[in-house]
Amino acid sequence: MNAQFKKGVLELCVLSYLARRDAYGYELAEKISSRIEIAEGTLYPLLRKLKSEGLCETYLSDESGGPPRKYYRLTDKGRETGRRLRQEWENFTRNVALFMEDDDE
Amino acid sequence: MNDFLMRLERSLKHMDAQEKQDILQDYREHFEIGLATGKPEEQIAQALGEPEQLAKLFSAMGAAGRAHKSRGCKASLRMIAAFLSCKGGGGILAALLYLVCLAVMISLYAGAMSVVLAGAGSLAVMVAEIVKGYPIWAVTALFAALMLGSGGMLCCKGLALLWRRLFGALPLLVKRMMQKSAGKKAMA
């Protein structure tokens, strides 16, 4: 798929997933790449960016018994940004779909 | 440390050791969890993508931000080095643009400084004249020299402000460019 599409969409996917539950990097990579073909490694620069922009924060947890995992949790700002992005995305895709079906002219 | 991590470590440039370790740790954890679920190492590495391309994403993110924070010669050099490391993304162009801005600012600054020096120099001469015999022209010229000197100082101050603005805007602009180009390659 077009690389430019993916880049914007990846952020949207991460923010939407984290809005539902906290997650660790590997989990996000698995979930997203099961639906969209991405280079999973690009997730970590993105997560770092989100953290530096104050959209998410991290904590260590080893609830599953194994080695500690770094979990990502959305901040209020991240939640807000996710909502806004989602709205923009929905408007955008709706309008593109309408435009493509528009054969009156 | 596996091949992916070693290549990533080699490619992560322009950042301090702590940041580098943090980044490597994220990927190390990714491998650990993947291996624990029974995935072969090669498959995990392949799904992650090219470590060199990923490193560029990190460099593009970090370098401009840090150069923005620190000032002076070292920061400028680091900035240029970071630009050049992103060849695909107009990095050379950005480095040139940056150098030109730097050169223009330095020459303007030198100009302003020489005005200040000229003011200070003539001020000294006039004071000497006044001490000697108090001629009326020297008093007038004294004021002129004072004006010249303070005018030059104002110019310096203005240039410093302008530079700070440029220094703030340019790295951000280039950072966007670099992220865009690095992102495109890493995703493809």
Side-chain angles (χ1 to χ4, degrees), chain A residues 26 30 40-41 44-45 48 70, chain B residues 26-27 29-30 39 47-48:
Chain A
Y26 187 85
E30 287 275 278
E40 292 177 9
Y44 292 98
R48 234 177 145 70
K70 193 199 238 181
Chain B
D26 284 346
Y27 288 98
E29 182 191 293
H30 189 96
K39 255 196 198 173
L48 281 172

Side-chain angles (χ1 to χ4, degrees), chain A residues 10-105:
Chain A
L10 188 59
E11 182 164 347
L12 183 60
C13 289
V14 169
L15 290 174
S16 325
Y17 191 83
L18 290 179
R20 292 196 293 271
R21 66 180 74 89
D22 297 358
Y24 49 94
Y26 187 85
E27 176 186 353
L28 277 167
E30 287 275 278
K31 298 282 179 192
I32 293 173
S33 66
S34 71
R35 302 235 180 227
I36 306 166
E37 194 193 310
I38 54 158
E40 292 177 9
T42 57
L43 206 56
Y44 292 98
L46 174 66
L47 286 168
R48 234 177 145 70
K49 189 190 84 145
L50 294 179
K51 192 179 174 186
S52 77
E53 287 171 354
L55 300 185
C56 73
E57 49 202 15
T58 57
Y59 61 94
L60 285 179
S61 164
D62 51 359
E63 55 188 273
S64 50
R69 291 170 179 183
K70 193 199 238 181
Y71 275 80
Y72 295 84
R73 172 173 52 212
L74 279 195
T75 60
D76 289 341
K77 191 179 164 198
R79 236 165 257 284
E80 189 45 53
T81 305
R83 259 200 294 274
R84 209 194 58 233
L85 274 181
R86 186 173 174 159
Q87 197 122 53
E88 280 172 19
W89 168 259
E90 280 164 0
N91 278 334
F92 178 73
T93 49
R94 195 172 48 238
N95 283 320
V96 172
L98 284 174
F99 180 81
M100 288 192 296
E101 282 162 19
D102 215 358
D103 49 10
D104 299 345
E105 285 134 297

Side-chain angles (χ1 to χ4, degrees), chain B residues 143-162:
Chain B
F143 281 108
L146 270 175
M147 297 262 283
L148 196 66
S150 48
M153 269 188 245
L154 265 178
C155 284
C156 278
K157 186 73 195 154
L159 282 171
L161 279 175
L162 183 67

Side-chain angles (χ1 to χ4, degrees), chain B residues 1-4 31 35 38-47:
Chain B
M1 198 184 262
N2 62 40
D3 180 57
F4 178 96
F31 273 103
L35 289 171
K39 255 196 198 173
E41 192 177 284
E42 304 79 62
Q43 198 185 327
I44 300 170
Q46 209 206 337

Side-chain angles (χ1 to χ4, degrees), chain B residues 62-73:
Chain B
R66 272 192 319 283
H68 178 39
K69 266 180 231 148
S70 51
R71 293 242 162 72
C73 210

Side-chain angles (χ1 to χ4, degrees), chain B:
Chain B
M1 198 184 262
N2 62 40
D3 180 57
F4 178 96
L5 290 173
M6 271 189 306
R7 277 164 64 195
L8 183 62
E9 184 176 31
R10 258 205 311 273
S11 315
L12 286 172
K13 287 170 193 151
H14 318 295
M15 57 182 66
D16 58 61
Q18 183 58 51
E19 198 176 356
K20 206 166 168 172
Q21 280 314 311
D22 282 352
I23 292 170
L24 285 170
Q25 180 51 38
D26 284 346
Y27 288 98
R28 208 174 287 132
E29 182 191 293
H30 189 96
F31 273 103
E32 275 168 18
I33 299 173
L35 289 171
T37 65
K39 255 196 198 173
E41 192 177 284
E42 304 79 62
Q43 198 185 327
I44 300 170
Q46 209 206 337
L48 281 172
E50 293 294 316
E52 289 77 15
Q53 295 298 335
L54 295 174
K56 278 187 188 171
L57 275 176
F58 285 109
S59 303
M61 255 173 40
R66 272 192 319 283
H68 178 39
K69 266 180 231 148
S70 51
R71 293 242 162 72
C73 210
K74 208 173 156 196
S76 305
L77 285 177
R78 199 190 287 155
M79 184 91 183
I80 290 165
F83 289 160
L84 287 176
S85 73
C86 299
K87 292 187 196 71
I92 293 176
L93 194 75
L96 279 178
L97 187 71
Y98 187 80
L99 273 176
V100 169
C101 283
L102 200 66
V104 168
M105 288 312 283
I106 287 173
S107 53
L108 282 176
Y109 215 83
M113 282 309 276
S114 59
V115 171
V116 174
L117 284 178
S122 39
L123 192 67
V125 174
M126 294 319 143
V127 169
E129 284 295 323
I130 289 168
V131 169
K132 258 194 275 170
Y134 207 72
I136 190 69
W137 64 267
V139 180
T140 323
L142 180 81
F143 281 108
L146 270 175
M147 297 262 283
L148 196 66
S150 48
M153 269 188 245
L154 265 178
C155 284
C156 278
K157 186 73 195 154
L159 282 171
L161 279 175
L162 183 67
W163 180 234
R164 210 163 299 160
R165 272 286 158 82
L166 260 180
F167 215 79
L170 195 67
L172 278 181
L173 187 81
V174 174
K175 195 169 130 185
R176 296 248 163 80
M177 266 170 50
M178 278 156 66
Q179 278 176 354
K180 217 166 151 188
S181 77
K184 231 187 270 177
K185 260 184 256 156
M187 292 278 178

